[in-house]
Amino acid sequence: MTLSGEELAQLRADANQLLTETVSVQRATTVSDGYGGETQTWNTVASVTGFLARAGLKPEELVIAERLTGQQVWVMLLPAGTDVRQTDRLVLGTRTFEVVAVLSGSLEVLRRVMVVKVQ
């Protein structure tokens, strides 16, 4: 099936209506502690809309989840093309999640990001 650019844009606009929460994308930076060592800090690099759901465990998600035994795996849905990396954190309200995997397809309607809650 082939979609026109206009059809894909409409699908994305419709899907984005499901994203009702504000999600902060945080990226780690390393700074000097002034004593010869380094400290890692998390800085917000973007604020986007999103939606948190339990992982549906599609085949590619199941492989990832099996490596994370003992942890609840979630899927964060974000707008297509959101710059999120496997080394990032996502903050939703008072909850912070570590990115485990960024799942994207050739015709991305929403960006699917597998996450686990930071303890």
Side-chain angles (χ1 to χ4, degrees), residues 15-73:
N16 284 345
Q17 292 180 25
L18 302 172
L19 308 179
T20 57
E21 304 288 336
T22 299
V23 178
S24 297
V25 179
Q26 293 186 338
R27 199 155 288 150
T29 57
T30 304
V31 295
S32 171
D33 64 5
Y35 298 99
E38 296 176 332
T39 302
Q40 187 177 54
T41 61
W42 292 92
N43 298 304
T44 298
V45 296
S47 182
V48 297
T49 56
F51 183 81
L52 182 67
R54 288 188 181 262
L57 299 183
K58 296 178 181 180
E60 69 271 21
E61 295 172 357
L62 185 58
V63 170
I64 295 166
E66 286 175 349
R67 288 186 259 148
L68 301 169
T69 56
Q71 295 184 32
Q72 173 66 50
V73 180

Side-chain angles (χ1 to χ4, degrees), residues 62 98 114:
L62 185 58
E98 290 182 353
M114 293 189 70

